[in-house]
Amino acid sequence: MPTRLHLVPALLLAASSSTAGAADAAGNYAIWGAGSRSCHQFERARDDSTALASFRDYLMGYLTAYNTLAPQTYDALGGLSLEDALAWVDDYCDLHKIDSFERAVAQLIVSRHDARSRGHGSSSGSWGRPATGGDTP
């Protein structure tokens, strides 16, 4: 199974309000997996579930990492379904065919920033650390 640690620099950059982030001095960072493919390639894969799987997995990994690293963010999509998120990216890619899939996903997160969920709202059903206190092994 490929690691998704390669997403961390991109997520930190997206979460940062400045160009400093976790990138090189010029603001560049490596993009791995389906994120490095073009919007055009994503659009061609939309009707083929096998080809779409790598884009879908990339999006889920990116969102999980973003939710883990971004301050005050439980769900970057604010309850938007994965299918609706893919449809948003598809619309973006229709207008920006040469952008990378990673850039399209980053723009999705930017567009959903104000609607993001900041907390789970219950004490069960989620993974992660307790907000305060908690037992440690």
Side-chain angles (χ1 to χ4, degrees):
M1 174 188 304
T3 180
R4 289 192 167 80
L5 290 177
H6 63 277
L7 297 175
V8 174
L11 296 173
L12 291 175
L13 182 63
S16 172
S17 61
S18 70
T19 57
D24 68 12
N28 299 310
Y29 51 92
I31 302 171
W32 296 76
S36 66
R37 298 180 72 193
S38 70
C39 272
H40 177 70
Q41 290 171 307
F42 167 69
E43 286 190 312
R44 287 191 339 196
R46 282 294 278 155
D47 295 327
D48 178 352
S49 61
T50 302
L52 183 62
S54 65
F55 291 100
R56 187 183 202 90
D57 288 346
Y58 183 89
L59 174 60
M60 289 187 292
Y62 194 109
L63 291 169
T64 299
Y66 188 87
N67 292 340
T68 301
L69 298 170
Q72 298 181 22
T73 302
Y74 174 78
D75 177 6
L77 295 181
L80 189 69
S81 73
L82 183 63
E83 286 307 314
D84 287 341
L86 284 167
W88 189 100
V89 170
D90 196 28
D91 290 344
Y92 177 91
C93 284
D94 191 42
L95 299 172
H96 304 93
K97 294 188 185 307
I98 63 171
D99 278 3
S100 69
F101 184 71
E102 184 273 337
R103 177 155 175 79
V105 172
Q107 292 303 307
L108 167 66
I109 289 174
V110 167
S111 78
R112 299 292 301 169
H113 180 76
D114 291 340
R116 75 190 187 284
S117 300
R118 294 181 179 176
H120 183 273
S122 76
S123 59
S124 63
S126 67
W127 290 82
R129 295 177 297 274
T132 58
D135 297 331
T136 56

